[in-house]
Amino acid sequence: MDSIIYLHDGSFEGLMHAVAAAVKSKEDVQGIYAEKEFSPRIFDTCIQIKTDSQQSLRLFEYLKKLKGNAARFAINGFLSEDLQVGIHLYWLVRQCLVYGAKATQLYTHDSIRHLDKLSQKVGSEAHRFTGLIRFRILEDGLQYGPFEPDCNVIGYCAQHFRERLKNQSWILHDIRRNHALYWDRDSLQSIDIDESFTSHVRQYGEIPESSLSEAERYYQKLWKSFHAAIANQERKNLNLQRQFLPQRYWKYLVEMR
Amino acid sequence: MKTADKLKILADAAKYDASCSSSGSSRKAAPDGIGNAATSGICHSWAADGRCVSLLKILMSNECLYDCSYCLNRRSNTVQRATFTPEEVADLTINFYLRNYIEGLFLSSAVYASPDKTMADMVDVCRLLRNKHKFNGYIHLKVIPGAAKELVQQAGFLADRMSVNIELPSEASLQRLAPQKSRQGILTPMKQIGEDFTGFQLERKKSRNAPNFCPGGQTTQMIIGASAESDLQILNLTEKLYSKMSLKRVYYSAYIAVNDEPLLPALLTAPPLIREHRLYQADWLLRFYKYQSHEILSPAFPNLDERLDPKAAWALRNFDFFPIDINKASYEELLRIPGVGVTSARRIVTTRRIAAIREQDLKKIGLVLKRARFFMTINGKYLGDRSLSHHHLVSAMCKVEPPVAKKLLHGGRQLRLF
Ligand code: SF4
């Protein structure tokens, strides 16, 4: 028998719409993917979804109304960029239709446990980066924070800093996805960052010399020496340090470079 | 002396402090201010010893008048000395904070000039940060024993959290090792902070305008292994500090032999890291699992077993309490099973409501089966090995200790090689 596969445009709305359509079809759906992530095999029957935001909103509203974790599973599942998330959400919705909000706590169900894991992964990475982002303060006071998260957590991080640093202007820059958000003390917007600037940051983990002010160098140096001094040599444990702070996060950390 | 040099000396001098958590306070961002305090702690980095770096942890000064025998900064030692100005500390804090290096400031100090002068300078730092820099982030202040009541109160209005170190687990040890400090000098501010904390909390319930006093509560710290107290004495004291003084946290700090001193363990003695770890586990049981100290230890067995998590040790001693059936036990009973934590116990309870849990579900729920299996049944079936004698059961449990403890045991052995 053919496997039925739903394909969408890769946006959150596209994903929601595809899941809604798949559930409604009452067929035995085998997969839900973003088009560009999927190459069909011989026996796949692919159904292309043309995103209709009305349809996706309907499902999302339903999940939100359920309370529990359903809406969070959907959003964080999407942000996790897990390739299989579509089919897991499909199963989540089907379980919710039977059990209601309780279904999100059905840890014995593989899809739900997986969504819970993804959701936690996104949540904890977002939380982690609220600590790990390092701002470089430019001459004019603008703060620039480059980082490379595994999941797409820039939105969560921006939410954190618009509370904490709401009277400063700053830029968060996800170098991996080349996506930057700019807070001008009043509103948040997506902006494009100069390409040569970005590639310098990507290559060296630091902004170009010409943008590094005296003060910025001074405080970076102080921070590095503080970080070195605070470690207890008698209890030195680099493995433990690496366990908490995996090396893939070091690139933009002033103190680890 | 340049700020950079002072920072090196005074960060180095502060590193023996155990507490690093910045959680427990929540301070909303003010409309014209910088920063807020997050309810759940944020780690900003990890130091080479594997500890989380969350706060700018420094001493105001290490030019100490006192001569506590366990302390590197005591007067009789020859070490480099430095003292920050309040402006320097405030400037460092705000600049580190803006760059998101830190969650806030953790300021402690040696006693220079006098307890009052020291405390007053520390309060000055807070004032500069709060008023001049409009800093709304986290501040943890160590209270200097013997400082005037008014200063302690002023500090409370500015800081998120305060702590008075209890230093050693008994008065006798304090007298012996820190003769210039007194039990009274420590307990008086502790009590005062506790009373002001509760008092202003009540006021705030009545009126929104009442000032916020030390919203993150107070903590304390004691040194483990510098004196002879048993773990039972330490846990009893801990329990009292939680119930009588309503402390938020008690921190333990494995004694690092820094001074050549006849009253203390010899230089180069390895710090009792495993013991510290077991004490933290026992403390965890007191705070989150509703154990009482007399359940964990008794005068006949006054010390924690280094090989075993205290919860497993309790379960092994009270083996008649088990096995417990996963589908029938109450939440509290589930928590007593080694290998079942708060998360998995909660999951068991919610999952059960939908359908009875089956054997193949256990791992999915997240309990650690290789530890739990000796203490539970599932739908009447026992997953452990009934033929094991108690003795063998104990060694089986030692084998399945979680990796952190194993690493510590291993690391401890390495340390002793020096
Ligand atoms: S008061 Fe005692 S413990 Fe504190 S710095 Fe001075 S000598 Fe050290």
Side-chain angles (χ1 to χ4, degrees), chain B residues 15-36:
Chain B
K15 71 186 175 192
Y16 295 109
D17 229 299
S19 50
C20 75
S21 106
S22 63
S23 56
S25 184
S26 85
R27 188 181 283 273
K28 280 256 176 56
D32 61 340
I34 291 173
N36 58 356

Side-chain angles (χ1 to χ4, degrees), chain B residues 149-345:
Chain B
K149 206 172 161 205
E150 299 73 49
L151 285 169
V152 176
Q153 196 177 47
Q154 284 167 23
F157 291 129
L158 296 161
D160 290 275
R161 173 169 279 183
M162 293 207 280
S163 50
V164 194
N165 279 1
I166 198 126
E167 306 285 12
L168 293 159
S170 77
E171 186 165 11
S173 294
L174 193 68
Q175 247 166 30
R176 215 158 56 95
L177 301 175
Q180 284 120 322
K181 288 181 185 162
S182 71
R183 187 99 173 149
Q184 219 39 45
I186 292 167
L187 291 182
T188 310
M190 204 182 253
K191 234 196 231 134
Q192 185 202 336
I193 295 168
E195 282 166 12
D196 279 349
F197 177 78
T198 348
F200 283 105
Q201 236 180 9
L202 280 178
E203 294 271 311
R204 275 173 74 79
K205 279 203 185 115
K206 285 185 237 148
S207 143
R208 285 247 134 249
N209 299 325
N212 219 345
F213 186 90
C214 191
Q218 66 169 326
T219 64
T220 192
Q221 176 173 305
M222 64 181 98
I223 301 167
I224 301 306
S227 48
E229 290 81 9
S230 67
D231 292 340
L232 176 61
Q233 272 171 292
I234 292 169
L235 280 190
N236 276 335
L237 175 62
T238 302
E239 201 171 45
K240 276 207 198 87
L241 287 168
Y242 285 136
S243 63
K244 298 254 156 56
M245 295 280 187
S246 26
L247 291 196
K248 282 272 148 65
R249 269 307 288 277
V250 173
Y251 289 95
Y252 308 106
S253 164
Y255 173 66
I256 298 175
V258 285
N259 293 333
D260 200 3
E261 171 66 59
L263 295 171
L264 285 168
L267 268 181
L268 301 185
T269 310
L273 295 183
I274 305 155
R275 183 172 178 207
E276 181 195 276
H277 176 67
R278 295 296 178 215
L279 279 166
Y280 274 121
Q281 286 182 317
D283 171 81
W284 192 263
L285 294 180
L286 296 180
R287 288 187 300 140
F288 298 112
Y289 286 73
K290 304 210 170 96
Y291 283 66
Q292 288 175 331
S293 61
H294 67 79
E295 288 183 285
I296 302 170
L297 292 167
S298 64
F301 299 98
N303 288 306
L304 296 167
D305 188 335
E306 294 209 338
R307 300 166 306 158
L308 273 176
D309 162 5
K311 184 171 156 184
W314 179 87
L316 287 165
R317 274 200 313 276
N318 296 276
F319 203 61
D320 48 339
F321 185 79
F322 301 97
I324 291 177
D325 199 274
I326 292 290
N327 275 312
K328 296 192 194 116
S330 67
Y331 175 73
E332 284 73 22
E333 286 170 332
L334 289 170
L335 278 183
R336 295 260 159 169
I337 305 177
V340 175
V342 174
T343 313
S344 44

Side-chain angles (χ1 to χ4, degrees), chain B residues 64-68 70-71 73-75 109-111 167 181:
Chain B
C64 201
L65 287 176
Y66 292 0
D67 205 42
C68 308
Y70 49 81
C71 175
N73 297 312
R74 62 177 179 170
R75 198 181 52 197
S109 186
V111 186
E167 306 285 12
K181 288 181 185 162

Side-chain angles (χ1 to χ4, degrees), chain A residues 59-255:
Chain A
L59 174 58
F60 190 55
E61 285 300 321
Y62 164 73
L63 294 176
K64 273 208 303 213
K65 247 206 248 110
L66 272 182
K67 306 230 171 62
N69 295 320
R72 199 163 54 91
F73 281 0
I75 296 173
N76 285 359
F78 173 73
L79 295 177
S80 76
E81 298 179 351
D82 182 284
L83 296 182
Q84 304 292 337
V85 72
I87 194 71
H88 294 305
L89 286 172
Y90 163 84
W91 280 109
L92 170 74
V93 175
R94 288 191 55 174
Q95 296 294 311
C96 284
L97 290 173
V98 179
Y99 297 113
K102 276 192 298 195
T104 61
Q105 295 180 334
L106 208 59
Y107 295 100
T108 48
H109 192 288
D110 290 334
S111 284
I112 285 160
R113 202 173 56 257
H114 188 71
L115 287 170
D116 185 64
K117 262 208 199 110
L118 289 181
S119 183
Q120 268 179 26
K121 184 173 160 210
V122 169
S124 66
E125 203 187 21
H127 179 77
R128 180 170 241 189
F129 271 105
T130 59
L132 291 185
I133 285 171
R134 297 284 175 269
F135 286 108
R136 276 70 174 172
I137 304 189
L138 309 180
E139 210 69 79
D140 57 0
L142 178 65
Q143 308 196 180
Y144 171 78
F147 67 128
E148 265 182 56
D150 299 338
C151 306
N152 190 2
V153 294
I154 192 171
Y156 281 123
C157 295
Q159 258 174 28
H160 170 79
F161 287 112
R162 66 187 286 177
E163 266 294 305
R164 173 158 291 190
L165 299 175
K166 74 168 146 208
N167 295 314
Q168 306 297 116
S169 52
W170 45 257
I171 294 170
L172 290 181
H173 191 181
D174 180 337
I175 302 277
R176 172 167 298 158
R177 298 168 185 80
N178 198 12
H179 179 208
L181 289 175
Y182 170 51
W183 171 256
D184 61 4
R185 299 190 172 89
D186 182 49
S187 64
L188 201 62
Q189 50 194 299
S190 269
I191 54 163
D192 290 325
I193 306 275
D194 180 71
E195 236 170 76
S196 68
F197 186 94
T198 305
S199 64
H200 186 282
V201 175
R202 181 179 291 125
Q203 191 174 350
Y204 299 104
E206 188 50 86
I207 59 176
E209 290 276 317
S210 55
S211 312
L212 267 175
S213 69
E214 264 315 301
E216 179 57 28
R217 278 175 228 253
Y218 175 66
Y219 288 111
Q220 286 199 1
K221 218 177 89 207
L222 287 180
W223 169 240
K224 275 190 194 174
S225 70
F226 170 76
H227 190 266
I230 196 75
N232 242 322
Q233 288 311 316
E234 293 85 345
R235 301 176 71 147
K236 190 165 175 172
N237 193 340
L238 293 178
N239 279 337
L240 198 60
Q241 180 190 34
R242 205 162 299 196
Q243 195 177 310
F244 288 124
L245 186 58
Q247 217 156 354
R248 66 177 189 283
Y249 291 129
W250 290 12
K251 190 162 165 195
Y252 304 99
L253 293 178
V254 173
E255 68 274 23

